[in-house]
């Protein structure tokens, strides 16, 4: 319930509009009640062959008003004239009711989509503000499922929260008041059947919530599996694992199918059972009401007709509530997944201070830095200095925390203890956007868009001119007398740059980084995935940049050690020594 209340808080900015839609709904209910009174009055007029509709003198309030209105509409000289006038009023009422309902749904749709947009914005903000450990450990497929499927599932929950969860009980209450005014005994009988239906709905809703939770988790797992498999399909083929992968995928899809069947059948079963109960209530009313009209003469036929015509107005809210409850229970699994994700404190949020970095002057320092994740210490009491306009290389065994050091400098990872300082100023107090302008980051795997060389470069600076693009390509040794690419700047690079060689991909990412005009280059294993010739090209590129940039690299490559001004090595015990 706490998660659903939290969801409803997103409606707070729209509460006046929501109240307005409720008032519209109340007005619609009374319009529908008027049609019942007119219809009942006309049937009674025909049955009695009377020219005047008799009102119940002892009934006060709204019932008396509606009786009087029905009398005015139908008090004509002949039944046929009453039919014409009554039909015109019914058509006008139905038209007005339809217009008001469409207008209300339009307003609710705007509110609903505005809230979903807000939730998606918060999810996106949460995701991009997490530290580097988040992106390395959270499955992209499951995250995509959360953003798309789970948020979409909130759609019905919000519409229900705005409209049906308030208006259907209110509509049921109004109808109950009208029926109680006509006959307490028969209304209590109807309420008994409605109570039985409510028990069925409650039980089915709890069952559906459990199924839906399993279903959302299974769908997210399936999407995550597909995301991973499609990127490694060649591996499965090369190792002869295609049949095993197909069997596993079939098994997962079969589990989804079975859960879907159980969920659908329960959702369909519940309203049908409620409908049967309400039909039984109608049949019972016919029998008992007929007895009181024709045998005991304790009820007028006019009263019985009105109760019977009010019965659908009571059954429709009950059926709507049955659908509503199962819908909300289905949505609750997604609501819990979304808010649990947003409340996850496993990954720290990147911090941003207010102090700007106008000019990088001297050095980046790490003082007594420790990083702990999942109760495992990745780095312990690290003290390092990275001076300006020097090439610093960090080496060490896999898993020793080298990439984490780069993440600390960029502010993508928050230390558990200690301080990263820029020219003596703690990084946590520095404005993040200001600091990022001084940084250029080259990752181990080149991150390229499936676009042209030009578009990949302009991603760093959309306002850059042709001369600037050629200049950074020259610095990255991709443009001497002519471009290294077949179609020059318009060359398509393919998915993840697959149409280029390994060396070209890495040098293109370096060129894009240089277009940003940073002071500091952070490079994570820039030559690890390249052949010897490409490694030499990248080494020469880095050496050519040494006089203009502060370069901090993580690498195992001995060729890069040769061009380094400073070489730090992280031992297996987590200690750092200068080589």
């Amino acid at each position: 319930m706490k998660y659903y209340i939290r969801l409803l808080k997103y409606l707070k900015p729209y509460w006046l509009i929501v109240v307005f839609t409720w008032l519209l709904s109340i007005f619609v209910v009374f319009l529908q009640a008027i049609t019942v009174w007119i219809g009942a009055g006309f049937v009674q007029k025909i049955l009695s062959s009377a020219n005047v509709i008799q009102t119940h003198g002892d009934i006060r309030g709204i019932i008396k008003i509606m009786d009087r209105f029905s009398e005015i509409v139908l008090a004509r000289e002949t039944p046929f004239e009453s039919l014409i006038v009554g039909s015109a009023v019914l058509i006008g009422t139905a038209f007005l009711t339809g217009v008001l309902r469409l207008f209300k749904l339009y307003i609710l749709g705007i509110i609903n989509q505005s809230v979903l947009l807000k939730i998606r914005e918060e999810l996106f903000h949460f995701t991009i503000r997490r530290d580097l450990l988040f992106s390395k450990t959270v499955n992209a497929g499951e995250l995509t499922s959360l953003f798309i499927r789970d948020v979409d599932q909130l759609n019905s929950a919000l519409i229900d929260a705005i409209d049906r969860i308030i208006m259907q009980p209110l509509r049921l209450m109004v109808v109950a008041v009208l029926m109680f005014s006509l006959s307490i005994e028969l209304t209590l009988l109807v309420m008994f059947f409605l109570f039985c239906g409510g028990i069925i709905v409650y039980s089915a809703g709890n069952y559906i919530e459990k199924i839906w939770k399993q279903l959302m988790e299974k769908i997210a797992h399936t999407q995550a599996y597909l995301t991973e498999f499609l990127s490694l399909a060649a591996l499965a083929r090369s190792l002869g694992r295609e049949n095993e992968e197909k069997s596993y995928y079939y098994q997962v899809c079969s589990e989804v199918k079975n859960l879907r069947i159980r969920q659908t059948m329960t959702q369909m079963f519940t309203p049908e059972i409620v409908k049967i109960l309400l039909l039984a209530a109608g049949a019972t009313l016919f029998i008992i009401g007929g007895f009181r009209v024709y045998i005991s003469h304790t009820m007028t036929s006019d009263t019985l007709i009105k109760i019977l015509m009010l019965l659908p107005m009571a059954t429709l809210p009950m059926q709507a509530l049955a659908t509503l409850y199962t819908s909300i229970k289905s949505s609750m699994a997604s609501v819990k997944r979304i808010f649990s994700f947003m409340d996850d404190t496993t990954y720290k949020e990147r911090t941003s201070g207010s102090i700007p970095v106008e000019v990088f002057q001297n050095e980046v320092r790490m003082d007594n830095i420790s990083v702990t994740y999942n109760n495992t210490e990745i780095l312990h009491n690290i003290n390092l200095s990275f001076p300006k306009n020097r090439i610093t290389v960090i080496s060490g065994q896999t898993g020793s925390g080298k990439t984490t050091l780069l993440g600390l400098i960029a502010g993508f990872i928050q230390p558990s203890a200690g301080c990263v300082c820029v020219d003596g100023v703690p990084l946590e107090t520095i404005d993040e956007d200001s600091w990022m302008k001084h940084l250029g980051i080259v990752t181990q795997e080149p991150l390229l868009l499936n676009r042209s060389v030009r578009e990949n470069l302009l991603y760093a600076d959309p306002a850059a001119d042709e001369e600037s693009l050629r200049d950074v390509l020259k610095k990255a040794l991709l443009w001497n007398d002519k471009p290294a690419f077949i179609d020059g700047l318009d060359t398509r690079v393919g998915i993840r740059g697959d149409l280029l060689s390994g060396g070209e991909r890495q040098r293109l990412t370096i060129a894009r980084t240089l277009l940003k005009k940073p002071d500091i280059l952070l490079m994570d294993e820039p030559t690890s995935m390249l052949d010897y010739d490409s490694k030499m090209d990248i080494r020469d590129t880095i050496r050519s940049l040494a006089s203009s940039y502060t370069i901090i690299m993580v690498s195992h490559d001995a060729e890069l050690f040769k061009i380094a001004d400073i070489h730090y090595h992280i031992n297996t015990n987590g200690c750092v020594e200068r080589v």
Side-chain angles (χ1 to χ4, degrees):
M1 180 57 69
K2 67 175 182 178
Y3 289 112
Y4 199 70
I5 293 174
R6 182 172 171 181
L7 178 64
L8 296 184
K9 289 181 180 178
Y10 283 90
L11 298 173
K12 187 177 180 179
Y14 312 98
W15 72 271
L16 283 175
I17 304 176
V18 171
V19 171
F20 175 69
T21 63
W22 293 345
L23 295 175
L24 282 181
S25 295
I26 293 172
F27 185 60
V28 167
V29 170
F30 282 110
L31 285 178
Q32 292 172 337
I34 287 173
T35 61
V36 169
W37 249 247
I38 293 175
F42 182 71
V43 171
Q44 176 63 17
K45 185 180 182 71
I46 294 175
L47 293 177
S48 64
S49 298
N51 292 330
V52 180
I53 302 299
Q54 298 296 325
T55 60
H56 301 276
D58 59 337
I59 298 178
R60 301 180 183 276
I62 189 65
I63 300 297
K64 187 174 182 179
I65 294 173
M66 289 195 294
D67 273 340
R68 180 59 181 165
F69 180 79
S70 176
E71 177 183 352
I72 293 172
V73 170
L74 298 176
R76 309 298 165 183
E77 293 185 2
T78 65
F80 184 71
E81 290 178 346
S82 298
L83 174 62
I84 294 174
V85 175
S87 297
V89 173
L90 290 176
I91 292 173
T93 304
F95 177 78
L96 180 58
T97 299
V99 170
L100 291 176
R101 291 179 65 182
L102 287 174
F103 179 61
K104 182 189 71 174
L105 290 174
Y106 173 72
I107 295 174
L108 293 179
I110 293 175
I111 296 174
N112 188 59
Q113 293 306 314
S114 297
V115 171
L116 293 185
L117 176 61
K118 178 66 175 177
I119 292 174
R120 281 194 168 99
E121 285 178 341
E122 290 186 4
L123 273 173
F124 193 79
H125 176 78
F126 174 89
T127 302
I128 64 174
R129 294 299 304 172
R130 295 305 95 180
D131 62 26
L132 192 64
L133 296 174
F134 174 84
S135 60
K136 288 181 175 294
T137 55
V138 173
N139 189 286
E142 292 188 5
L143 194 58
T144 302
S145 178
L146 190 74
F147 269 84
I148 298 175
R149 290 183 178 274
D150 286 283
V151 174
D152 281 344
Q153 186 60 30
L154 302 187
N155 186 61
S156 58
L158 281 168
I159 287 290
D160 292 335
I162 298 171
D163 186 30
R164 288 194 288 173
I165 199 171
I166 299 295
M167 293 317 304
Q168 295 301 344
L170 180 60
R171 180 176 284 121
L172 189 60
M173 183 178 67
V174 170
V175 174
V177 169
L178 294 175
M179 294 181 70
F180 267 116
S181 300
L182 295 170
S183 173
I184 295 176
E185 295 84 353
L186 293 183
T187 304
L188 289 175
L189 177 65
V190 173
M191 292 298 108
F192 170 75
F193 282 99
L194 294 180
F195 176 75
C196 293
I199 294 176
I200 295 173
V201 170
Y202 177 79
S203 302
N206 290 335
Y207 179 66
I208 284 177
E209 182 179 4
K210 294 178 182 178
I211 295 177
W212 196 258
K213 181 177 183 295
Q214 298 174 35
L215 183 60
M216 287 293 99
E217 291 174 350
K218 189 62 67 175
I219 290 175
H221 172 72
T222 304
Q223 188 161 342
Y225 166 77
L226 280 174
T227 302
E228 181 180 29
F229 174 75
L230 292 176
S231 64
L232 300 173
L235 175 63
R237 189 177 299 115
S238 66
L239 296 177
R241 300 284 298 180
E242 289 177 292
N243 290 332
E244 287 81 356
E245 295 293 348
K246 284 192 292 186
S247 298
Y248 179 75
Y249 180 67
Y250 177 80
Q251 176 187 343
V252 172
C253 289
S254 296
E255 293 173 359
V256 172
K257 179 200 72 174
N258 293 333
L259 287 170
R260 281 283 191 193
I261 291 173
R262 289 164 58 190
Q263 173 238 344
T264 302
M265 290 303 298
T266 306
Q267 284 186 311
M268 294 176 63
F269 166 82
T270 306
E272 290 301 318
I273 291 296
V274 172
K275 188 184 296 183
I276 292 172
L277 281 171
L278 297 177
L279 286 174
T284 306
L285 281 182
F286 266 113
I287 295 173
I288 297 177
F291 177 84
R292 294 187 62 181
V293 171
Y294 297 110
I295 306 300
S296 65
H297 303 291
T298 56
M299 178 183 289
T300 64
S301 58
D302 176 56
T303 300
L304 178 59
I305 291 171
K306 288 175 181 176
I307 290 177
L308 291 174
M309 294 186 72
L310 281 171
L311 181 61
M313 290 185 64
T315 59
L316 288 177
M318 189 61 201
Q319 287 178 287
L321 286 172
T323 306
L324 164 67
Y325 189 70
T326 55
S327 174
I328 288 178
K329 282 296 187 178
S330 297
S331 301
M332 281 307 298
S334 294
V335 172
K336 289 178 181 178
R337 276 170 51 83
I338 290 171
F339 289 138
S340 295
F341 175 77
M342 293 172 65
D343 293 339
D344 190 354
T345 58
T346 304
Y347 309 98
K348 295 182 179 180
E349 181 174 352
R350 288 154 45 199
T351 58
S352 179
S354 58
I355 301 175
V357 179
E358 301 295 344
V359 179
F360 175 57
Q361 297 178 339
N362 296 312
E363 66 174 353
V364 176
R365 286 193 59 84
M366 291 186 176
D367 297 325
N368 302 315
I369 288 290
S370 295
V371 176
T372 302
Y373 172 69
N374 276 351
N375 298 320
T376 300
E377 193 171 54
I378 301 174
L379 294 172
H380 175 69
N381 201 30
I382 299 295
N383 293 276
L384 296 174
S385 175
F386 305 97
K388 182 179 180 179
N389 290 342
R390 294 290 186 272
I391 298 178
T392 303
V393 175
I394 305 168
S395 62
Q397 292 185 350
T398 301
S400 60
K402 303 184 300 298
T403 301
T404 302
L405 289 174
L406 296 185
L408 287 164
I409 296 172
F412 294 161
I413 295 176
Q414 310 304 315
S416 305
C419 179
V420 178
C421 296
V422 179
D423 293 333
V425 180
L427 185 58
E428 63 184 14
T429 66
I430 292 175
D431 177 71
E432 182 184 21
D433 292 335
S434 172
W435 177 232
M436 289 305 298
K437 291 178 181 178
H438 295 273
L439 296 180
I441 301 173
V442 178
T443 57
Q444 180 175 354
E445 181 179 356
L447 302 176
L448 296 174
L449 307 172
N450 185 19
R451 303 174 190 174
S452 66
V453 171
R454 184 194 312 276
E455 290 172 300
N456 271 279
L457 292 174
L458 290 177
Y459 195 74
D461 182 7
D465 56 24
E466 294 282 319
E467 184 178 351
S468 298
L469 300 185
R470 288 193 294 270
D471 182 57
V472 294
L473 287 175
K474 288 177 183 178
K475 289 182 179 179
L477 304 182
L478 286 172
W479 193 303
N480 296 320
D481 296 331
K482 60 180 182 179
F485 310 111
I486 297 176
D487 296 322
L489 291 171
D490 295 319
T491 302
R492 302 290 297 187
V493 306
I495 299 173
R496 292 175 299 183
D498 287 347
L499 297 180
L500 306 179
S501 68
E504 289 173 335
R505 288 199 297 269
Q506 193 63 284
R507 278 182 284 164
L508 181 56
T509 61
I510 293 175
R512 181 179 59 195
T513 303
L514 296 180
L515 190 64
K516 186 183 175 185
K517 299 178 182 178
D519 296 312
I520 302 171
L521 293 178
L522 303 179
M523 296 184 170
D524 188 1
E525 299 283 5
T527 63
S528 65
M529 303 175 67
L530 307 178
D531 57 36
Y532 179 78
D533 291 337
S534 297
K535 286 183 179 182
M536 294 300 102
D537 290 340
I538 296 298
R539 186 196 66 178
D540 293 341
T541 299
I542 295 172
R543 183 161 51 191
S544 69
L545 300 173
S547 61
S548 304
Y549 300 92
T550 301
I551 300 175
I552 304 172
M553 287 188 294
V554 164
S555 181
H556 292 91
D557 190 347
E559 294 296 330
L560 295 180
F561 300 163
K562 296 177 183 179
I563 64 173
D565 298 306
I566 302 172
H567 179 189
Y568 293 118
H569 183 78
I570 303 179
N571 296 324
T572 54
N573 59 6
C575 297
V576 177
E577 61 180 2
R578 184 164 178 173
V579 180

